[in-house]
Amino acid sequence: GDLREKQARYEFEIGRFSYKKKAYPAAIARFQNALEKTGGGEARERTLYYMGVSHYQSGNREKAEEVFQSLRREYPNSSYVRQNKIPL
C-alpha cells in the first residue's frame, strides 16, 4: 500500500543520489530495493531505467541489457525508449 510506495520512493531517491555521485553499486542496490517495494507504473519504469544505466556505467553490459529488455517489454511506450535514452 501507501507505506510500501513511500519506502520505494525513499530507496529510489537514495539510489539516485548515489547515481549522481557515480557510486553505481550503491545505486543499484537501492534501485533493487525500490523495485521490490514498488507496485509498478511510472515509479517502476523510472527505477528500471536508472538501474539499467547504473549497470551500464559500471561496465556490466550484460546485466544492463537484461534490465533494459525488461523496461522495453513492460513499458514499450516509455519516454526512455521513445527518446532513445537507452545506451544499448
Side-chain angles (χ1 to χ4, degrees):
D2 196 37
L3 179 60
R4 285 181 66 83
E5 285 300 317
K6 280 183 182 161
Q7 290 171 328
R9 194 171 19 225
Y10 174 78
E11 292 287 346
F12 175 81
E13 291 303 330
I14 294 175
R16 203 165 64 166
F17 179 80
S18 297
Y19 171 88
K20 287 178 179 174
K21 297 224 173 263
K22 297 183 172 24
Y24 299 116
I28 290 165
R30 292 299 185 157
F31 294 146
Q32 186 63 51
N33 289 344
L35 285 175
E36 289 167 8
K37 290 177 173 56
T38 192
E42 189 183 333
R44 180 172 172 80
E45 175 187 351
R46 182 180 59 220
T47 304
L48 283 170
Y49 171 75
Y50 277 99
M51 190 164 148
V53 174
S54 296
H55 280 297
Y56 180 79
Q57 296 290 4
S58 303
N60 191 346
R61 293 175 70 97
E62 197 174 308
K63 189 64 183 165
E65 184 58 44
E66 273 179 43
V67 175
F68 290 138
Q69 281 178 351
S70 294
L71 178 63
R72 287 185 187 104
R73 185 176 57 251
E74 293 177 38
Y75 301 97
N77 296 319
S78 166
S79 63
Y80 299 114
V81 175
R82 286 198 326 263
Q83 295 172 19
N84 214 19
K85 292 183 177 178
I86 295 173
L88 292 173

